[in-house]
Amino acid sequence: MSPSSRALAERMADRVPLPGEDGVVVELGPGTGVVTRALLARGIKPERLACLEYAPEFCALLKALFPAVHVIRGDAYRPGEDLDRWLDGRPLAAVVSSLPLMARPEEERAGALKAWLDRLPVGAPFVQFTYSPALPVRPERVDAQVETSPWVKLNIPPARVVTYRRGCPALAGIIG
């Protein structure tokens, strides 16, 4: 699979609110840093962004490309103490994910998404992209509302952005 296009990365970054005074953003599966670059261009300060990446070669690349961003080598399905230490009690403003969720069994996808939503304050987004016409996780499985973007056709293959939130009655049932 090729890296996400700039158009998709920008669409994802547009869903992320700028963190408040103490807030931070965690990016899951940043790979080559296409979405990382879009988040920084959106105005997320590098010291308020952590990239959680599993592959050591991508960690090295990210550290070279974005020296002020905190890069953590770890498993986004089971985040560990390194992330908790970096968070140090600060609230998450958003989680932005490029994880290949559809490659995992539904139970595992739902469990991971639920765990991240449990960490987010009410209304804060979990932003994910997908190539699938089906949602990665049905919102009722994780007690969340979902909003989807139109298809980003300037991506190969075309993708759309799915944003999960909890506690936003205005978004309940919005798909499309």
Side-chain angles (χ1 to χ4, degrees):
M1 201 55 62
S2 59
S4 299
S5 70
R6 189 173 69 180
L8 178 58
E10 289 171 356
R11 178 82 50 93
M12 292 176 77
D14 286 346
R15 300 283 177 111
V16 177
L18 296 178
E21 191 172 304
D22 295 327
V24 296
V25 175
V26 172
E27 182 183 2
L28 308 177
T32 61
V34 176
V35 176
T36 310
R37 187 172 283 109
L39 290 168
L40 294 170
R42 166 107 172 87
I44 306 297
K45 294 179 181 169
E47 63 273 11
R48 297 204 179 271
L49 177 60
C51 293
L52 183 58
E53 173 58 52
Y54 186 77
E57 60 275 11
F58 285 146
C59 288
L61 175 65
L62 293 163
K63 287 176 183 179
L65 291 174
F66 310 107
V69 171
H70 191 74
V71 177
I72 302 167
R73 182 174 186 281
D75 184 349
Y77 292 88
R78 292 169 197 76
E81 294 176 11
D82 289 343
L83 176 63
D84 290 334
R85 253 191 313 280
W86 181 77
L87 287 172
D88 194 28
R90 295 180 291 178
L92 288 173
V95 174
V96 181
S97 170
S98 296
L99 298 175
L101 287 182
M102 296 304 274
R104 300 281 184 124
E106 184 178 10
E107 203 60 42
E108 195 172 342
R109 294 191 307 257
L113 178 56
K114 182 182 181 319
W116 283 104
L117 286 168
D118 287 348
R119 287 177 172 250
L120 285 164
V122 170
F126 180 98
V127 180
Q128 172 73 47
F129 80 86
T130 186
Y131 304 123
S132 174
L135 293 172
V137 176
R138 294 184 318 272
E140 61 273 10
R141 295 228 34 209
V142 293
D143 191 30
Q145 295 82 42
V146 68
E147 180 181 11
T148 59
S149 77
W151 288 95
V152 178
K153 295 176 183 166
L154 294 175
N155 194 75
I156 300 174
R160 62 187 177 148
V161 178
V162 180
T163 306
Y164 293 88
R165 299 176 198 265
R166 286 185 173 157
C168 295
L171 292 180
I174 294 178
I175 298 179

